[in-house]
Amino acid sequence: MTASTVGVRGASYDNIAHKPERSVARIGSLDLVRGVVMILMAIDHVRVYSGVPAGGPTPGVFFTRWVTHFCAPAFVFLAGTGAFLLGRKLESTKSLAKYLATRGLLLVALELTVLHVAWTFTFDFTHLLAGVIWMLGWCMVLMALLVQLPPSVVGVTGLILIFGQNLITPLAAVMPQSTQWFWQFLYLGGEVKIGATSISILYVIVPWIGVMAAGYGFGAITTLAPAERRRWYLRIWLGATALFLIVGGALVATRQAPNGAPPAFIRLLNQQKYPASQLFLLMTLGPTIALIPLAERARGRIANVVTTFGRVPMFYYLLHIPLIHATSLVVWYLRDGRVGAERFNAAPYVSMPPVERWSLGLLYLTFAVVVALLYPLCRWYARRKSERPSPWMRYI
């Protein structure tokens, strides 16, 4: 049996007890890293309903947003790694491709329906958001094609897409106007009208398909003997971090900062996320890979709790958006005596005057309450999935 990731299933501790210890540590470490990602993700989504902006002039607000930048890259990269590991268990590449395509289309449908309602608590489908689950779904559909190739080729293709992404902009500029919607979905982003419905494209396909493909190629490294794979983890981490510091530092040093600009260190960390720049991905993926060998050695109650979230991330994701939304309305009522639910009809695009926003203390308290409420539900589902799985559970 296997346990699901948001993108692709990965094995759980319960289901691989009969395998060598190094295999348990390897796969359990990926679950633990995914669990860290899921927990951090909740900070940013509580922030949406608190009115606190996405970054800001104070270090507290800046780092509240910055620490969650690791979520999407790790989310997508490990989905690719999970696809590689799943492919080793299935009878053929065709089976993996079918699963990825089916799973991907399901995620796209969930983004535009269930998650839209969860974000807004309305049934108005005239304004939709193409968010992270949308992007993850379409990347999986494309991965269904890429997995026909050798893992090394898939990984190199991913790196080419990541580092060559800027070539898309001049290419789109010379294409017919009638095709601009395609380039917006692919890389440019923005709003696309489809009949009476508009879709705001927050997460484009490139470079994220490159991140997933790179993660797929990385999967081959996770199957190596412990000492060898840890050497690879160290090389990749140091290489990515060094490249980020050298290139990013040079750009900060050579660009004249306007009056009142934040310190150079903050400007270095403030990399472009939409679409995710090369420096943004180097900044986030390097430390994520460095965390994996540490996760292999992690033991104890806290590690087990975090790993539980990582074993059922799609279940977690589907629950945490409506739970955060509902909890935030309760907090608004307790704080101000009114709910003000209409402010979130267009979530996650929420803007409030500074005097109305929560304090960071209240934001983090609400975040802690939400994660605590999610844990018993995720633990129950992980156990149910391990002991008495139903066919539909392989997708949730």
Side-chain angles (χ1 to χ4, degrees):
M1 301 304 305
T2 56
S4 176
T5 70
V6 169
V8 184
R9 296 172 298 165
S12 70
Y13 283 123
D14 295 341
N15 299 322
I16 56 178
H18 63 287
K19 295 187 178 181
E21 183 176 350
R22 74 179 189 182
S23 178
V24 174
R26 170 176 55 82
I27 299 175
S29 67
L30 299 181
D31 285 338
L32 194 153
V33 174
R34 272 192 294 264
V36 172
V37 167
M38 304 310 294
I39 292 171
L40 290 178
M41 187 182 302
I43 297 175
D44 197 44
H45 295 161
V46 172
R47 179 198 59 76
V48 168
Y49 293 97
S50 72
V52 173
T58 67
V61 172
F62 177 84
F63 282 105
T64 292
R65 171 63 168 172
W66 182 83
V67 74
T68 66
H69 282 339
F70 290 84
C71 296
F75 209 52
V76 178
F77 186 84
L78 292 178
T81 303
F84 174 85
L85 295 174
L86 177 61
R88 288 164 58 88
K89 302 170 189 174
L90 297 179
E91 63 273 12
S92 67
T93 302
K94 183 178 179 181
S95 298
L96 175 61
K98 180 180 178 181
Y99 176 82
L100 289 171
T102 304
R103 177 74 161 157
L105 292 174
L106 174 63
L107 293 183
V108 172
L110 287 172
E111 178 77 87
L112 299 180
T113 56
V114 174
L115 289 171
H116 172 76
V117 174
W119 276 112
T120 65
F121 281 3
T122 73
F123 292 93
D124 179 4
F125 293 96
T126 58
H127 302 283
L128 300 175
L129 175 72
V132 67
I133 299 300
W134 156 282
M135 171 271 292
L136 193 69
W138 284 120
C139 287
M140 290 181 62
V141 172
L142 294 175
M143 281 296 298
L145 303 175
L146 287 176
V147 296
Q148 314 296 327
L149 303 172
S152 59
V153 175
V154 176
V156 170
T157 300
L159 294 177
I160 292 172
L161 289 169
I162 290 171
F163 289 102
Q165 59 175 287
N166 302 98
L167 298 175
I168 297 177
T169 300
L171 177 62
V174 299
M175 293 295 165
Q177 186 63 34
S178 60
T179 67
Q180 287 305 298
W181 64 270
F182 169 78
W183 300 103
Q184 286 182 261
F185 279 117
L186 184 68
Y187 184 69
L188 301 179
E191 187 168 313
V192 173
K193 293 282 290 185
I194 303 177
T197 300
S198 65
I199 301 180
S200 296
I201 307 164
L202 184 62
Y203 280 88
V204 292
I205 306 305
V206 176
W208 294 109
I209 179 57
V211 175
M212 187 177 289
Y216 185 88
F218 177 80
I221 295 175
T222 70
T223 65
L224 299 175
E228 187 176 0
R229 70 172 180 259
R230 286 167 189 160
R231 282 195 295 269
W232 274 104
Y233 296 159
L234 180 63
R235 292 167 188 158
I236 296 171
W237 167 48
L238 291 177
T241 303
L243 189 57
F244 166 70
L245 291 175
I246 292 170
V247 177
L251 291 175
V252 169
T254 56
R255 290 174 179 171
Q256 184 174 1
N259 292 333
F265 175 65
I266 297 295
R267 299 202 306 276
L268 174 63
L269 297 180
N270 189 27
Q271 298 298 329
Q272 175 183 296
K273 183 179 180 180
Y274 304 111
S277 69
Q278 296 90 338
L279 288 175
F280 178 89
L281 294 173
L282 289 169
M283 176 182 72
T284 52
L285 287 176
T288 297
I289 292 169
L291 184 60
I292 297 175
L294 300 178
E296 290 183 355
R297 299 178 174 89
R299 300 290 186 272
R301 181 170 179 78
I302 293 178
N304 291 337
V305 169
V306 176
T307 299
T308 297
F309 290 127
R311 288 173 56 192
V312 292
M314 187 60 195
F315 180 79
Y316 173 104
Y317 196 99
L318 290 173
L319 286 183
H320 93 295
I321 298 296
L323 179 59
I324 287 173
H325 192 162
T327 303
S328 71
L329 297 182
V330 173
V331 173
W332 278 106
Y333 180 77
L334 294 176
R335 197 192 78 152
D336 296 347
R338 70 184 188 91
V339 172
E342 70 282 351
R343 289 177 292 193
F344 308 110
N345 288 348
Y349 297 128
V350 179
S351 178
M352 297 181 193
V355 294
E356 295 184 14
R357 300 167 186 164
W358 295 359
S359 67
L360 288 182
L362 182 56
L363 188 160
Y364 279 96
L365 175 61
T366 304
F367 152 72
V369 169
V370 167
V371 172
L373 292 173
L374 285 168
Y375 175 67
L377 297 172
C378 291
R379 183 179 59 181
W380 165 81
Y381 187 69
R383 185 175 301 163
R384 169 72 168 79
K385 192 170 188 177
S386 174
E387 296 172 354
R388 294 180 292 114
S390 299
W392 59 269
M393 289 183 175
R394 65 196 300 257
Y395 296 101
I396 300 296

